[in-house]
Amino acid sequence: MIQTPILKPGPRQDGPHPDHAAAGRPQPSAPVVRIENLVKRYGAYVALHEIGFELKSGEVVAIIGPSGSGKSTLLRCVNQLEQPDGGCITVAGQRFEGGKEHSRAALDTLRRTVGMVFQSFNLFPHMTILRNVSIAQERVAGRSRKDAEDRAMHLLARVGLADKAGQYPARCSGGQQQRIAIARALALDPQIMLFDEPTSALDPELGLEVLAVMRELAESGMTMIVVTHEMRFAENVSDRVVVMADGRVIEEGPSRELMRDPKTERTQRFLHAVRDR
Amino acid sequence: MSEILEFWGEWLPTLLDGLLVSLKVTAASLALGIPLGLVLALAVKAKSAPLRIAALIAVEIGRGTPALVLLQFTYFGLASTGLTLSSYAAAVAALAACTGAYTSEIIRAGLEAVPQGQSEAAIAIGFSRMDQLRYVVLPQGLRIAVPPLLGFSILIFQSTSLCYAIALPELMSQAYSVGSNTFRYMPILILAGLLFAAICIPATLLVSRLEHRLDRHTR
């Protein structure tokens, strides 16, 4: 793992890092997410063994690998839904060291910087679709009801569901619910979007409409980390692919190259198995 | 038969006075007890260990003690320490304590039935712990808890009959005193039973209707 020491540990772990004055708008070449030696344990079981990789602004990275390899755990560590036990994650200039408590302010900034889409959508079933997309803008970003709803309508139009605004999630198909979940995650204008197997709970044709939204998002320059079993998406939409197995990164590289000509035997076996289905 | 109806007609106003007292005690006990149950349910899940343990003890005492013992304790027991409550206040205090303890378990079960993914989604969009509760977990958890809470409310209404033991002039006491004055226990107790049923049976039907309606958005 090659790492240039741009980021030295700051005097305080919370608050913006002095080296990143423009933390809200990283330079195109600067890594916007940097994961170093990340360790996550559940009791004696080690889910992540010293994981490391970087993500530049505007880059789309697909994480693939067999189930149980730690892909989702890694993703959930990026926005601190899981607290890592060791190593460090730097997001938009803010360092989060494993095994330490983080201040409320640091976590608030992190969650506004990072949007997340879940495998099971997790829309709020008791709120209308419009409310699902507008509420965080009011409660977290302090926007007025009107501004929040205008922005929500704009986002719903972007995912093609403006006509559903007044309905409840249970009335929508899985694909529609996931597109709404994407709109909800985009509502706080995140710099980075995390996708945790966004199409795994969907029928293939419903998955396609979600993938189309994700592709459009990638083309608009959004920085994305996508845990996926969609090999075509990994190959054609993402810039880079990271292959994980048994809690380790076993291979990473530019997506076309890696998907067509994997170097490690483990990756070859995995790709062979999923493509044979 | 017409003789019984005549007897009922004569004493019905007395029993209706008692029914009104029963309903007032029920309403006051629920109005104090269910919010107490919510507080206990949240305290039992709190991060702070002393708070959690205190809440657990309160819940277990409340659930472990028969309502009749709680009633006697608040009316006669507290009086011996110098705190004298009217039979109405003692009844409300005891039944509210009982309601708090039981409903805390109902509410806790409701909150725990909200899928983990809901909280995770709320965290991921930056909600504070307070907002997670207020906008995501409580609306869904309490909705799950509403039917059992209403069912419990019917039980509390029936338990007000225990208050005859602390001389509260509720429905049961009124029936009992009519019985002891006229020596006609059978017809007056039947009338009391019919009045209880006249409240409880429609209430039960209403609860199951409501249960159906609450499912609307989630099914």
Side-chain angles (χ1 to χ4, degrees):
Chain A
M1 197 168 51
I2 305 151
Q3 270 168 6
T4 44
I6 305 168
L7 294 177
K8 291 183 282 294
R12 296 184 321 145
Q13 74 193 69
D14 51 357
H17 194 275
D19 288 353
H20 272 242
R25 193 176 46 78
Q27 305 307 305
S29 58
V32 65
V33 176
R34 164 176 295 186
I35 297 167
E36 298 161 273
N37 305 321
L38 193 73
V39 175
K40 176 68 189 174
R41 291 185 207 96
Y42 295 100
Y45 177 74
V46 184
L48 299 175
H49 296 264
E50 310 220 326
I51 300 279
F53 73 88
E54 290 185 356
L55 191 63
K56 293 189 182 71
S57 184
E59 218 177 2
V60 177
V61 169
I63 304 180
I64 63 171
S67 38
S69 57
K71 310 179 297 286
S72 290
T73 305
L74 171 63
L75 199 69
R76 291 160 59 86
C77 285
V78 173
N79 73 347
Q80 300 287 324
L81 270 184
E82 302 283 348
Q83 280 78 48
D85 297 296
C88 181
I89 302 181
T90 309
V91 177
Q94 214 171 5
R95 278 178 69 89
F96 292 88
E97 284 178 42
K100 291 194 178 166
E101 288 285 316
H102 308 297
S103 74
R104 188 64 241 172
L107 290 173
D108 284 349
T109 312
L110 175 70
R111 278 155 193 160
R112 289 187 62 169
T113 314
V114 181
M116 184 161 188
V117 174
F118 298 86
Q119 180 176 350
S120 48
F121 333 134
N122 297 346
L123 292 177
F124 304 130
H126 58 299
M127 295 180 193
T128 62
I129 283 153
L130 182 66
R131 194 82 186 122
N132 263 280
V133 183
S134 69
I135 188 164
Q137 301 180 62
E138 287 175 42
R139 298 303 305 170
V140 180
R143 291 177 194 153
S144 71
R145 166 81 51 120
K146 187 178 178 306
D147 288 354
E149 289 187 347
D150 286 352
R151 170 97 181 116
M153 283 310 293
H154 171 80
L155 287 166
L156 285 173
R158 184 167 168 192
V159 299
L161 290 169
D163 57 324
K164 296 273 183 188
Q167 293 185 8
Y168 286 87
R171 298 284 301 276
C172 296
S173 72
Q176 290 172 334
Q177 291 197 41
Q178 194 60 298
R179 283 147 64 197
I180 296 159
I182 293 173
R184 177 176 69 177
L186 288 171
L188 293 177
D189 309 304
Q191 291 179 41
I192 302 146
M193 285 281 282
L194 309 177
F195 292 85
D196 190 5
E197 301 195 24
T199 58
S200 297
L202 297 172
D203 292 341
E205 75 268 30
L206 297 179
L208 288 179
E209 63 187 53
V210 173
L211 291 172
V213 170
M214 290 169 63
R215 178 191 275 266
E216 188 265 335
L217 197 59
E219 281 162 2
S220 76
M222 177 61 77
T223 311
M224 293 162 59
I225 308 179
V226 185
V227 169
T228 187
H229 291 295
E230 301 281 346
M231 294 304 137
R232 271 205 217 117
F233 182 89
E235 183 167 340
N236 298 328
V237 182
S238 68
D239 302 304
R240 264 191 313 135
V241 171
V242 171
V243 188
M244 287 181 67
D246 306 320
R248 295 185 167 84
V249 172
I250 53 171
E251 188 165 349
E252 72 167 290
S255 29
R256 292 250 157 107
E257 218 171 277
L258 187 145
M259 298 297 281
R260 284 175 191 175
D261 183 22
K263 299 285 182 286
T264 66
E265 188 265 336
R266 185 80 183 80
T267 309
Q268 286 165 13
R269 257 197 299 148
F270 171 72
L271 289 178
H272 192 71
V274 290
R275 280 170 175 161
D276 261 10
R277 271 194 309 196
Chain B
M1 187 67 204
S2 68
E3 194 265 334
I4 286 184
L5 288 178
E6 201 176 297
F7 175 72
W8 279 0
E10 186 182 346
W11 295 106
L12 185 63
T14 314
L15 291 205
L16 285 179
D17 286 347
L19 178 63
L20 194 65
V21 173
S22 296
L23 287 172
K24 276 186 187 161
V25 169
T26 306
S29 306
L30 295 175
L32 293 172
I34 292 178
L36 174 67
L38 174 59
V39 170
L40 286 173
L42 295 176
V44 165
K45 289 158 68 85
K47 274 192 185 153
S48 141
L51 184 60
R52 211 167 50 226
I53 290 165
L56 262 175
I57 291 173
V59 169
E60 289 313 317
I61 290 177
R63 291 185 343 135
T65 315
L68 188 55
V69 175
L70 284 175
L71 282 164
Q72 306 252 16
F73 176 81
T74 51
Y75 190 60
F76 300 112
L78 290 182
S80 66
T81 69
L83 181 63
T84 316
L85 297 175
S86 70
S87 60
Y88 181 80
V92 170
L95 292 181
C98 177
T99 303
Y102 275 97
T103 57
S104 79
E105 290 290 282
I106 295 173
I107 293 169
R108 188 175 59 82
L111 299 183
E112 282 172 5
V114 177
Q116 180 70 21
Q118 291 288 310
S119 302
E120 288 181 357
I123 293 170
I125 54 173
F127 272 17
S128 64
R129 267 188 74 84
M130 201 58 208
D131 279 1
Q132 278 172 53
L133 261 184
R134 184 171 156 200
Y135 293 100
V136 178
V137 179
L138 283 181
Q140 296 184 67
L142 291 180
R143 195 170 297 197
I144 296 167
V146 162
L149 281 178
L150 292 175
F152 181 80
S153 304
I154 295 171
L155 287 181
I156 279 289
F157 170 63
Q158 292 174 353
S159 322
T160 57
S161 61
L162 294 171
C163 299
Y164 93 97
I166 60 168
L168 183 74
E170 45 67 54
L171 178 51
M172 183 61 205
S173 319
Q174 298 293 77
Y176 194 75
S177 72
V178 171
S180 57
N181 286 333
T182 60
F183 297 105
R184 300 186 64 187
Y185 288 98
M186 190 60 152
I188 201 68
L189 288 176
I190 289 176
L191 183 58
L194 287 175
L195 286 176
F196 271 114
I199 301 286
C200 293
I201 294 173
T204 309
L205 293 176
L206 220 74
V207 171
S208 63
R209 292 263 313 254
L210 190 75
E211 206 164 342
H212 250 66
R213 278 182 62 101
L214 286 174
D215 277 349
R216 235 178 354 174
H217 293 319
T218 43
R219 295 282 146 84

